[in-house]
C-alpha cells in the first residue's frame, strides 16, 4: 500500500456520499493552475479598467425658441455678452439670417417702445465683434469647422447685415417706422391666409349643413 505522503497532490471527491460530482484538486497542481492569477488580500480590491473620457461636444442647444430667447434678452436690458448657444450649429446666432433688423441685432421688435438707442448700439458692438472673429477664423486652422457650423456665406454677409440693421433702427423714429411696416405686412399675410382657406372650402361647393359659401369671398 502506497503512503499518501509520497504523492504531492491529493484528489478529493465532489460528494462523500458516493454520487458523482466535480473533483477538487489541491496541492501542487492547484498552485500550477493558478500561478498566473494575482492573490488578493481581504482589504484589496480588484483593479478596474480606466473609464473612457467623455468626448468633448458642443454645448446642448436650448429648447427655447429663438423668439423667446430674443424676447427675454430684450426684456432684461439687451445683451451683456454673446449668448452661449452661439457656439452651437443650431444656436440662436441664426437670427442674423432674418430679414428683420431687430432680429439681426437680437432685439424683439414688439418691445420697440422700451428699446433705447444705447441698447441698439450695445448689441451692435457685441454682435459685430463676434462675427468679425468668425470672419477672421475663415483664414485659420478651424476654417472647415467654422464653415460647417455657420456657413461661409453667412459669415461673409453678417457684418453687412449688422451695419444695415443698426442704421435702420438706431433711432426711436426708425424703430417705430419698422414696427408699423412689420405690423402692416403681418396683417396682409393674415388676410391672404384666410382668403386661401376660404378658397379651399369652395372646392366642396356646399358645406355639410347645406350653407353655400360662395358669397363669403368676392373675387
Amino acid at each position: 500500500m502506497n503512503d499518501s505522503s509520497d504523492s504531492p497532490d491529493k484528489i478529493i471527491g465532489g460528494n462523500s456520499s458516493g454520487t458523482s460530482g466535480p473533483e477538487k484538486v489541491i496541492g501542487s497542481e492547484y498552485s500550477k493552475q493558478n500561478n498566473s492569477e494575482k492573490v488578493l488580500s481581504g482589504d484589496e480590491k480588484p483593479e478596474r479598467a480606466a473609464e473612457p473620457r467623455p468626448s468633448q461636444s458642443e454645448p446642448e442647444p436650448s429648447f427655447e425658441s429663438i423668439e423667446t430667447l430674443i424676447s427675454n434678452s430684450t426684456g432684461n436690458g439687451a445683451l451683456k455678452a454673446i449668448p452661449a448657444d452661439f457656439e452651437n450649429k443650431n444656436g440662436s446666432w441664426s437670427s442674423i439670417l432674418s430679414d428683420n433688423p431687430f432680429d439681426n441685432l437680437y432685439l424683439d421688435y414688439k418691445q420697440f417702445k422700451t428699446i433705447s438707442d444705447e441698447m441698439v448700439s450695445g448689441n451692435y458692438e457685441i454682435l459685430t465683434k463676434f462675427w468679425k472673429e468668425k470672419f477672421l477664423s475663415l483664414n485659420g486652422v478651424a476654417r472647415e469647422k467654422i464653415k460647417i457650423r455657420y456657413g461661409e456665406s453667412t459669415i461673409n454677409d453678417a457684418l453687412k447685415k449688422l451695419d444695415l440693421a443698426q442704421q435702420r433702427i438706431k433711432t426711436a423714429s426708425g424703430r417705430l417706422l419698422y414696427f408699423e411696416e412689420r405690423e402692416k405686412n403681418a396683417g396682409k399675410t393674415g388676410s391672404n391666409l384666410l382668403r386661401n382657406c376660404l378658397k379651399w372650402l369652395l372646392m366642396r361647393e356646399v358645406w355639410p349643413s347645406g350653407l353655400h359659401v360662395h358669397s363669403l369671398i368676392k373675387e
Side-chain angles (χ1 to χ4, degrees):
M1 181 179 232
N2 293 334
D3 191 342
S4 60
S5 60
D6 296 334
S7 175
D9 297 333
K10 184 177 181 181
I11 308 299
I12 300 178
N15 193 321
S16 60
S17 62
T19 59
S20 62
E23 295 181 340
K24 299 179 181 180
V25 182
I26 63 173
S28 60
E29 280 300 320
Y30 181 84
S31 298
K32 293 177 182 179
Q33 293 174 7
N34 295 275
N35 59 5
S36 61
E37 297 181 0
K38 180 181 179 182
V39 179
L40 303 177
S41 67
D43 296 333
E44 291 181 313
K45 295 181 180 180
E47 295 181 359
R48 296 177 60 183
E51 297 182 359
R53 295 182 178 180
S55 58
Q56 294 183 350
S57 59
E58 295 180 346
E60 289 294 327
S62 173
F63 290 102
E64 295 181 288
S65 67
I66 294 179
E67 290 80 6
T68 299
L69 293 171
I70 292 177
S71 177
N72 291 340
S73 176
T74 304
N76 291 328
L79 293 174
K80 305 299 186 296
I82 283 294
D85 75 336
F86 266 44
E87 296 299 334
N88 290 331
K89 184 176 181 180
N90 298 318
S92 57
W93 59 264
S94 58
S95 57
I96 194 66
L97 303 176
S98 173
D99 293 328
N100 181 339
F102 283 86
D103 287 346
N104 298 156
L105 291 172
Y106 217 78
L107 294 167
D108 180 10
Y109 85 97
K110 295 178 181 178
Q111 302 181 49
F112 77 97
K113 291 183 179 179
T114 61
I115 295 174
S116 65
D117 297 352
E118 290 73 22
M119 291 171 65
V120 173
S121 61
N123 278 22
Y124 171 78
E125 291 177 4
I126 291 173
L127 293 168
T128 295
K129 180 180 179 181
F130 172 83
W131 287 111
K132 277 185 177 179
E133 290 175 351
K134 300 308 175 187
F135 180 78
L136 294 175
S137 296
L138 290 179
N139 296 319
V141 294
R143 171 186 173 85
E144 293 304 318
K145 181 179 180 180
I146 294 298
K147 286 171 61 178
I148 292 173
R149 181 179 298 172
Y150 303 103
E152 188 172 9
S153 60
T154 299
I155 298 173
N156 288 332
D157 295 340
L159 295 176
K160 295 177 182 178
K161 295 196 73 171
L162 289 174
D163 287 341
L164 180 59
Q166 196 263 352
Q167 288 297 319
R168 292 193 65 182
I169 64 172
K170 65 180 181 180
T171 63
S173 59
R175 293 189 288 274
L176 173 60
L177 179 62
Y178 180 79
F179 173 82
E180 292 175 342
E181 290 178 356
R182 179 84 176 187
E183 290 297 293
K184 184 178 180 180
N185 292 334
K188 289 181 178 179
T189 301
S191 297
N192 290 335
L193 179 61
L194 176 60
R195 186 179 184 85
N196 290 335
C197 288
L198 290 174
K199 283 183 176 180
W200 176 82
L201 287 173
L202 281 176
M203 294 175 63
R204 300 180 59 179
E205 293 295 332
V206 179
W207 284 351
S209 63
L211 175 65
H212 290 268
V213 296
H214 294 81
S215 60
L216 294 179
I217 298 179
K218 295 180 181 180
E219 293 294 343

